[in-house]
Amino acid sequence: MAQPYAKKDDDRDDEAEYSPFLGIEKGAVLQEARVFNDPQLDPRRCSQVITKLLYLLNQGETFTKVEATEVFFAVTKLFQSKDIGLRRMVYLIIKELSPSADEVIIVTSSLMKDMNSKTDMYRANAIRVLCRITDGTLLTQIERYLKQAIVDKNPVVASAALVSGIHLLQTNPEIVKRWSNEVQEAVQSRAALVQFHALALLHQIRQNDRLAVSKLVTSLTRGTVRSPLAQCLLIRYTSQVIRESGQNIQTGDRPFYDYLESCLRHKAEMVIFEAARAITNLSGVTSRELTPAITVLQLFLSSSKPVLRFAAVRTLNKVAMTHPMAVTNCNIDMESLISDQNRSIATLAITTLLKTGNESSVDRLMKQITNFMSDIADEFKIVVVEAIRSLCLKFPLKYRTLMNFLSNILREEGGFEYKKAIVDSIVILIRDIPDAKESGLFHLCEFIEDCEFTYLSSQILHFLGNEGPKTSDPSKYIRYIYNRVILENATVRANAVSTLAKFGAMVDSLKPRIFVLLRRCLFDSDDEVRDRATLYLNTLGGDGSVVETDKDVKNFLFGSLDVPLANLETSLKNYEPSEEPFDIDAVPKEVKSQPLAEKKAPGKKPAGLGAPPTGPTSTIDTYEKLLSSISEFSSFGQLFKSSVPVELTEAETEYAVNVVKHIYDGNVVFQFNCTNTIPEQLLENVTVIMDATEAEEFSEVTSKPLRSLPYDSAGQTFVVFEKPVGVPAVGKFSNMLKFIVKEVDPTTGEAEDDGVEDEYQLEDLEVVPADYILKVGVSNFRNAWESMGPDNERVDEYGLGVRESLAEAVNAVINILGLQPCEGTEVVPSNSRSHTCLLSGVFIGNVKVLVRLSFGIDGPKQVAMKLAVRSEDQAVSDAIHEIIASG
Amino acid sequence: MLLAVLFSHTEGNILVERFHGVPTEERLHWRSFLVKLGADNLKGAKNEELFVASHKSVYIVYTVLGDACIYVVGKDEYDELALAEVLLVIISSMKDVCVKPPTEHRFLNKYGRICLCLDDCLEGVTGELRER
C-alpha cells in the first residue's frame, strides 16, 4: 500500500530534539582533529571539526596545555588550504586557543604572508589575529604593514588595523603612538566605521595631552563627522574638554555648547540622546542651557522604543535632583509612563514625579502610585518610599496624605528591607514634622500588632519609648506595648519591658499602672525579661505611687551609652570577679583606630622577619600597663591618650622604627618601637636623639635607652618631654637613632665584643592639636548637643579656599580636629553642594566637646565652613576654633 | 565597558557566552539572572523587539530572535543606547547567517558561522570578549 505523501516540513517535525552536537565529547573531537594532518584536506570536514572545538570551548570545556598545543599545531597545517571559509575558521580558532609566545612563531610567517595577500578578508583577519597573539618584538617587524593597513582603501582592512591598534595601545603604547599621522588621515575617511575607530584610537593616543585633545575636538566639531558612533564619541570628548577647561560661564557662553546644541537636531537618535545627556551633565549648567536638552528628552518619553523611553526618563530623573523646576514641563508625559510595561521605566517616572511635583499634585500622584506599588519588586518599592519621604519633608503640610500612604503600604506584603525603609521613613517624618507625630506613632503601633520582623518591632518599641511619653495622651500607647509583652518572642518582650519603664519614668501619672504591669513581667519565662523588669522596678524605685522620677533615673533610661562597645567588651572580659564591682567609668572611651600592622602591604617582609615593628598591637590598657611598669613614668598621672603608631622609616629599611605618642597632662612620652632587620648585626644602647628646636614649649626630661636589639626582634626606647600643664602644646621634632652596632657571626650567632657607634636618621615627627583630643562618639548627637547647652558655645565662619571636592574638604577638617564623626555624617553624598558633619570627643582635661560643621561648595569649588563648638569649658571651644584658624 | 554577551535558547540552555571583566564566581549568577529575565519578559515578544533592564549602574538590553534569546550587558560608556546599537549589529549578523529567525536546530547547524560573526561584531569592543 502506498504511503500517503507527507510534505517534508522545514525544520521542526522530525528534528525537534536533534542537535548536531548531541553526545559531543572532547576526546572524540580531539581525535577527529587528526584530519587536519591529511595531505588531501577536506575543507568542509575541517570546518566542521573546528566548529565542534568552538562549541566545546563555549560550553565551558577546557583544554589542557598539551591538548591545546596539539590542536594548535594541527590547525597551522590548514594554512595550506586555499578555501576562504576554512581560512576564516582557522583565524578564529587560533585566537580562541591563545597560543603561547614560543608557539606563535610557528604561525607568524603564514599570517604575515596573509597580511600582504590580495584578498581583503585575509589581510583584515590576519592583522587581527597577529595583533592578538603577538608581543612587542614581532610588532616592530610588522609595524610597517599595520601603518599601511590603517590607510588601506578597503574599510574592513583599515578598521581591523585601527581596532588592533586600540588593543595594542594597552601593552605597546610607544609603538602605536608612532602611527599618529596615519590615524589622523583615517579620521578623515569617508567610511563611517573607519572614522569611528580612527577617532577612538586617536583620542586614546592623545588622551594625556589636554591641548591635543582640545585641538582634535575643535577641528572635528567644525568638520564633517559621518558616523553617528563617531559623533557620540566626539560629544563625549567635547564634554571632557569643557569639563577640563573650567570655564567661568558668567563671562560668556560655554565653549562648544553650540556644537552640543546642534547635535540635538541630528537625525540619529543615539546622537541626540548623547548630546542631551552631555548637556545635562555639564557642571554648573543653567536653566537656559538645559531647556533644549529637556525638550528632546521629553519627546523621547513618548517613543515606541522602550530603550529610548528608559534613556530619557533616567536622564530626567538625574536632572530632577538638581534642577527640579526644569523638568516640570515633562510631568504630563511622565505620568503616562507610570503604567509602562517596563517596571524600571515606571519606577524612574514615579520617582522623578515625586521630585518635581508641586504641592497641589501630591494627592493625585499618590492615587496613581497606590495601584502601581503592587506591580513592582521590593527594590523598586524602596526607591519609591525614599522619594516619598523626601517629598513629605519638602511639603510638610501634606504629611497626612503621605503618612496614610506609607501606613497602607506597610500593611501589605513585603520583605524586610522594604518594611524597614517604610518604618525608617515614618520615623524621620515624625522627628522632623511635629504635627505628624501622633498619627505616625499610631501607625507604628498598629504595625507592631502584626509585625513578623523582630528587628523592626524592637526598633519601633525603642522609638515609642522615647517619643510616646512626650505626646498629649501617652496612656493610649500602653495597650500596644503591653500586648507585645504577652504575645511576642523574648527579644520583643524584653524591649517592651524597657519601653514600659520609660513611660513610667517620664509620665508620673502612669507610674502606678506601669508598676502593676512590670510586676507581672517578673513571672515571664525568659531571663532577660525578668531581669529587666526587676532592674526597672528597682530603678524607678518607690512603691509605684505618683511621684516625680529622679533625674539620675531618667539619665539611666534615656541617656546614651557613651562607651564604645568594643572597649566595654574588652574591659568586661578583663574584669576579674572580686569584691570591687565593675566600674564602667574606667572603660576607655577612645575609639580604637585600625592597628598599623593591617595597613602594611603584604609580602614585603624578607624571609625570617618576625613580629612587625609596631610594638604591642593592643588597646590603651596594654600601653597603660607598659608605662606604669616603668618607675620613671609613674609620677605623670593618668594617661590621657596614646596615638596610633607613626612610621619614622620607610618600608624595607635596615632599621624599622615607629613612634607612639603618650599624652599626659604635663608630659609627653615618646615610645619608639624599633626592629633590627639585619641578621649580621646586634644593636645595643639604642636611643633616639630628638631635636626640639621647633617645639619650644617642650623640654626634655629623660630618656630610657634600649639595652639590646638583636636581629628580628622588637624593642622599645622612650624619650620624655615636659610641657605646660593643661596646654595643648604643639611642635615638630627631628630624630636620630643612635646605637652601638656589633657584628654577629652568622655561623655561630655570637656577637663580637667590640662595637662601633653609629646613627641613623629618622623622619621628623609632629605633635599636633588632634593628639590632645580623644575620639569619643555619642549615639544621639542631638540630645547631647541640647543637654550641653549654649553657655560655652562659639560659632564662626571660615573660608577653606578652593578644594578638590566637598568630601575632600570635610575629610581634611575631620583629620585636623581629630574628633569622632557621629551618626555617619563623615560620609558626603556625591554631587552634594552642602553637608553637615557632627563630631564629638573629649579634650585633654576630660572636657567633652561637640562640634557641628556646616560646609558649602560653589561652582568654582570654593568651600565655606561654619564651625559651631559646644563644650564644658569656653577655653576649649576657643581652642578648637584656634586649631582651624591656624590649620 | 561591555560586560557580557550571551545567547540562550528560549528554554534556558546557554548556547554562546562571552564575558569580560566578570569573575568566574559571578558568571553563574549572571547566567541564571539573564535566563530568568528572558523567561519573565520575552514570552510572546516579537522578534527583534528590544527590551531594557537595569540594576544599579549595569544595563541589560535583550531580545528574542527565533528560538534564540540574545542579551548584552554593559556599564559606564556602554549605556542602554550603546548596547542597543551593539545588539542591533548582532541581530543583523544573525539574520545574514541564518536567513530567517533561527530555530535551535538551525542555530546549531550554523554554529561556526555564528561564532565568526560574533567575533567580527565584537572585535571592536574595547577590551576583548575572549573569556567564556
Side-chain angles (χ1 to χ4, degrees), chain A residues 733-790:
Chain A
F733 301 83
S734 53
N735 310 293
M736 183 76 75
L737 188 72
K738 274 195 131 134
F739 46 88
I740 295 171
V741 57
K742 292 182 174 174
E743 297 292 329
V744 171
D745 186 341
T747 44
T748 61
E750 288 191 7
E752 291 172 359
D753 291 329
D754 296 323
V756 173
E757 277 193 14
D758 201 357
E759 54 189 36
Y760 187 79
Q761 183 72 47
L762 302 173
E763 284 174 20
D764 294 348
L765 78 93
E766 279 188 76
V767 174
V768 295
D771 287 328
Y772 296 98
I773 297 176
L774 274 177
K775 286 183 177 213
V776 179
V778 291
S779 50
N780 190 327
F781 188 89
R782 189 196 258 200
N783 278 352
W785 184 264
E786 298 300 328
S787 52
M788 183 81 80

Side-chain angles (χ1 to χ4, degrees), chain A residues 119-329:
Chain A
T119 311
D120 294 333
M121 194 277 293
Y122 283 14
R123 285 210 309 282
N125 284 290
I127 287 171
R128 284 157 59 178
V129 176
L130 254 181
C131 292
R132 178 80 70 87
I133 63 177
T134 192
D135 62 13
T137 44
L138 179 64
L139 198 54
T140 41
Q141 292 177 40
I142 62 171
E143 190 181 352
R144 179 165 61 94
Y145 302 113
L146 291 174
K147 282 164 95 168
Q148 281 171 4
I150 286 173
V151 293
D152 195 287
K153 279 196 302 280
N154 187 312
V156 174
V157 175
S159 260
L162 288 164
V163 170
S164 299
I166 293 174
H167 294 318
L168 287 170
L169 199 57
Q170 315 303 321
T171 48
N172 299 280
E174 62 292 341
I175 295 177
V176 179
K177 280 178 184 170
R178 297 201 283 255
W179 308 349
S180 271
N181 290 338
E182 285 76 14
V183 179
Q184 179 77 54
E185 196 181 318
V187 170
Q188 308 302 327
S189 165
R190 301 188 69 83
L193 205 59
V194 172
Q195 190 179 46
F196 169 53
H197 290 144
L199 178 56
L201 178 55
L202 196 59
H203 178 262
Q204 287 217 5
I205 288 173
R206 295 182 181 174
Q207 66 180 343
N208 292 326
D209 183 344
R210 213 185 264 190
L211 187 59
V213 171
S214 180
K215 277 187 182 161
L216 173 67
V217 164
T218 308
S219 69
L220 285 173
T221 50
R222 286 190 197 138
T224 323
V225 178
R226 289 180 184 82
S227 156
L229 292 170
Q231 280 278 23
C232 287
L233 281 186
L234 187 55
I235 290 171
R236 289 184 187 180
Y237 303 153
T238 306
S239 302
Q240 182 192 343
V241 166
I242 294 175
R243 203 166 43 240
E244 286 168 358
S245 70
Q247 181 83 357
N248 185 349
I249 50 168
Q250 286 168 358
T251 59
D253 274 341
R254 210 183 284 265
F256 300 113
Y257 176 80
D258 288 339
Y259 166 71
L260 292 178
E261 206 248 334
S262 70
C263 288
L264 293 174
R265 295 183 286 278
H266 198 274
K267 55 181 190 295
E269 285 159 341
M270 190 167 64
V271 174
I272 296 171
F273 176 72
E274 192 69 44
R277 201 174 57 172
I279 290 174
T280 57
N281 282 342
L282 289 172
S283 149
V285 66
T286 62
S287 298
R288 186 181 66 86
E289 287 170 328
L290 274 176
T291 306
I294 295 202
T295 308
V296 299
L297 290 172
Q298 186 177 358
L299 292 170
F300 278 163
L301 288 175
S302 42
S303 163
S304 57
K305 300 179 191 167
V307 174
L308 284 177
R309 295 199 302 274
F310 178 79
V313 80
R314 184 168 76 85
T315 308
L316 287 170
N317 186 292
K318 211 168 152 208
V319 173
M321 284 195 219
T322 46
H323 296 83
M325 294 312 296
V327 180
T328 48
N329 287 343

Side-chain angles (χ1 to χ4, degrees), chain A residues 88 91-92 95-96 124-125 127-132 156 159-167 197, chain B residues 2 78 116-130:
Chain A
R88 190 66 188 89
Y91 291 139
L92 184 57
K95 283 196 279 192
E96 297 293 325
N125 284 290
I127 287 171
R128 284 157 59 178
V129 176
L130 254 181
C131 292
R132 178 80 70 87
V156 174
S159 260
L162 288 164
V163 170
S164 299
I166 293 174
H167 294 318
H197 290 144
Chain B
L2 189 63
Y78 276 88
L116 284 173
C117 288
L118 201 60
D119 181 62
D120 272 334
C121 295
L122 300 176
E123 178 73 18
V125 164
T126 306
E128 303 149 18
L129 288 181
R130 265 190 292 174

Side-chain angles (χ1 to χ4, degrees), chain A residues 636 664-670 692 695-702 719-725 729 733 772:
Chain A
F636 294 159
Y664 292 85
D665 258 343
N667 295 86
V668 176
V669 175
F670 295 97
E696 288 164 355
E697 291 176 283
F698 292 86
S699 54
E700 187 168 335
V701 172
T702 183
V719 181
V720 182
F721 277 80
E722 204 173 22
K723 68 166 190 60
V725 172
F733 301 83
Y772 296 98

Side-chain angles (χ1 to χ4, degrees), chain A residues 667-739:
Chain A
N667 295 86
V668 176
V669 175
F670 295 97
Q671 172 186 331
F672 295 92
N673 302 306
C674 311
T675 304
N676 172 18
T677 71
I678 304 180
E680 298 87 17
Q681 286 185 357
L682 167 70
L683 307 186
E684 286 184 350
N685 273 356
V686 182
T687 185
V688 175
I689 307 297
M690 296 179 74
D691 180 358
T693 317
E694 290 179 69
E696 288 164 355
E697 291 176 283
F698 292 86
S699 54
E700 187 168 335
V701 172
T702 183
S703 71
K704 198 167 156 47
L706 174 59
R707 291 265 165 268
S708 168
L709 187 64
Y711 162 67
D712 198 29
S713 69
Q716 291 89 40
T717 172
F718 299 87
V719 181
V720 182
F721 277 80
E722 204 173 22
K723 68 166 190 60
V725 172
V727 171
V730 298
K732 194 169 176 182
F733 301 83
S734 53
N735 310 293
M736 183 76 75
L737 188 72
K738 274 195 131 134
F739 46 88

Side-chain angles (χ1 to χ4, degrees), chain A residues 10 96 132 277 314 342, chain B residues 52 59 79 100 130 132:
Chain A
D10 238 358
E96 297 293 325
R132 178 80 70 87
R277 201 174 57 172
R314 184 168 76 85
N342 184 307
Chain B
V52 62
Y59 307 102
D79 59 12
K100 41 184 186 170
R130 265 190 292 174
R132 69 200 62 79

